Amino acid sequence: MGDRRMLIDGKLVDGEDGRVFDNVNPATEEVLGPVADATRADMARAIAAARTAFDTTDWSTDHQRRKEVILQLQAAIESEKEELRAELVAEVGCPVLSTWGPQLDAPLREALVWPAEMIERFPWSRDLEPKDAFGMGIVAERQVWKEPIGVVGVIVPWNFPIEIILNKLGPVLAMGNTCVLKAAPDTPWNATRLARLIAEHTDIPPGVVNILNSSDHLVGEELTTSALVDMIAFTGSTATGRRIMEAASATLKPVFLELGGKSINLVLDDADFATAIPSSAGVCMHAGQGCAMPTRLMVPNARYDEAVELAKAAFEAMPYGDPTDPSNFQGPQVSKKQQERVLGYIEKGRQEGARVVTGGGRPAHLPKGWFVEPTLFAGVDNQMTIAQEEIFGPVLVVIGYDGDDDAVRIANDSAYGLSGMITSGDLDRAKGIAARVRTGTLSINGGQWYGADAPFGGYKQSGIGRQCGIEGLEIFTQTKTVSWPVA
Ligand code: NAD
């Protein structure tokens, strides 16, 4: 049984009127258990606690203490890592295989530790040249200080919940901010576990981290409109990102938005098709529920049919089903709503004239759980809905191109620009194309860029700002320029 209570002002509490909602296992459709359902009043208390902790304690200035308590949190999570792993598989429906990588172990190695260590190395101040700015005979020393931004509202989705939480919490806390974290209603227990670990196993001061769950998305919206919140850090859909930016404009608070994607998997004509094309079925990992997945496979028209045959074989061999089985790559969609959304896109693809090569529906052999068959579309034009919109399911579209310029044109003909892959027998040629694709991250010939030190985020409608890396620390700071006369 997971943790029910949320964390407000250092205390583990139920919601104001004791309401709860159910946490459901998407692979079995069984109720896992209850979780406290926050109201707007609970959110207001959490925001006030974060404000007070920021304004009235030395949290924002005590570097050494911050490092110590972030590392305490790291140790606390590690001590319950296996319970957390099982819980993630149960509530997210992610294959256990993915928890040994991006879902848990990869972020757990670095997401808190790297920012904690960067507290000592971060350039908190820098000197400018002394200057007589107005030519009035007063030469002044000048310095630029970096300071925490204040109270950060952190809003996260359900697809990689703990990965996203840790990659936000680490930098937010390392830079000296306080926060209110609103977890995703579909995956509440990893957040409430974190709440308990913070309360019972760390010296993180009361109010510095507040964690809430709510079945009502609009409770999260309070963060975006509150004048007591200085910034929003959000990961989720582009539609919600747009709404958050609009709401945040009333108080002119900066927004960091990590949104959707429709990334390319561009295979050049000199690539080894026998290895490059089958790996495109990697989009089925975690049922395609990843914003950075390369869901547009682009191949030269001259080798289109060969590529589709190779991809078909890989899709038909994709092991999926029970996410607790370590041989499965793909589990269910996170909810019935998501399953229906994915099936709706598949139907739309058919209506617009694309051809389902394999898959295309619910798997008959998995009557329980919100599964969708690994689905491959051929005959896809880049203007079709299934080539333009984020499906968030185990669905790949194959698009043909003629020559490198055409490939770049199609790659960039998207509202999104989050990630992507390029494969070529010639690294320099691939790098040349990488420089022309408008996207925030790119993997060339299977290289992996991921890490707490690696900025991640989107061009165009894939977002604003970067998570992780130096850029992902700076984003949670304000800049103050000060000067005084040279002695
Ligand atoms: P969503 O954007 O609706 O929700 C993400 C988070 O935002 C949740 O915690 C939700 O409660 C909160 N939220 C929703 N409305 C809000 C509002 N008005 N103000 C403040 N917070 C609000 O995403 P979803 O419904 O969970 O998924 C829908 C689609 O979003 C998916 O199919 C997929 O396309 C996309 N998605 C993208 C990512 C990503 O990493 N880029 C992650 C999850 C989902």
Side-chain angles (χ1 to χ4, degrees), residues 198-226:
I198 289 172
E200 294 180 350
H201 296 271
T202 78
D203 298 313
I204 292 177
V208 165
V209 181
N210 303 274
I211 298 181
L212 281 77
N213 279 296
S214 179
S215 59
D216 179 0
H217 294 305
L218 296 185
V219 167
E221 195 159 73
E222 295 286 301
L223 285 167
T224 63
T225 53
S226 170

Side-chain angles (χ1 to χ4, degrees), residues 77 107-108 111-112 161-171 194:
I77 302 171
L108 198 49
L112 294 178
I162 201 75
E163 191 268 356
I164 294 168
I165 288 175
L166 295 183
N167 275 316
K168 290 206 188 327
L169 218 51
L194 201 65

Side-chain angles (χ1 to χ4, degrees), residues 156-158 182 217 221 234-235 237 240 259 291 338 341 390:
V156 298
W158 42 260
K182 216 290 289 166
H217 294 305
E221 195 159 73
F234 169 75
T235 296
S237 64
T240 304
L259 309 175
C291 51
Q338 283 300 117
R341 187 169 179 273
E390 186 179 49

Side-chain angles (χ1 to χ4, degrees), residues 115-137:
E117 285 172 354
M118 283 303 293
I119 295 174
E120 281 158 15
R121 283 187 278 150
F122 186 76
W124 291 103
S125 76
R126 73 174 193 272
D127 293 325
L128 302 178
E129 286 291 311
K131 191 169 175 173
D132 178 5
F134 300 128
M136 296 173 78

Side-chain angles (χ1 to χ4, degrees), residues 242-358:
R242 216 171 267 130
R243 181 163 170 160
I244 283 176
M245 196 167 173
E246 228 175 272
S249 72
T251 49
L252 286 175
K253 58 172 76 62
V255 288
F256 160 52
L257 304 175
E258 200 274 278
L259 309 175
K262 194 74 191 179
S263 302
I264 54 158
N265 179 354
L266 173 56
V267 181
L268 299 184
D269 53 9
D270 60 0
D272 175 13
F273 273 39
T275 53
I277 303 291
S279 67
S280 66
V283 299
C284 297
M285 171 58 90
H286 189 18
Q289 301 172 116
C291 51
M293 294 202 169
T295 49
R296 284 188 295 157
L297 175 62
M298 294 179 53
V299 297
N301 274 321
R303 299 183 70 180
Y304 190 87
D305 293 345
E306 175 193 350
V308 169
E309 278 313 301
L310 285 164
K312 176 174 187 271
F315 266 68
E316 288 177 348
M318 175 58 54
Y320 71 104
D322 177 4
T324 65
D325 178 344
S327 65
N328 280 332
F329 258 57
Q330 179 191 327
Q333 310 312 122
V334 77
S335 60
K336 188 166 169 53
K337 180 181 130 202
Q338 283 300 117
Q339 183 198 40
E340 283 170 356
R341 187 169 179 273
V342 174
L343 293 170
Y345 271 115
I346 293 173
E347 189 46 37
K348 185 88 178 162
R350 284 192 176 102
Q351 282 168 8
E352 290 186 357
R355 176 167 63 88
V356 173
V357 178
T358 186

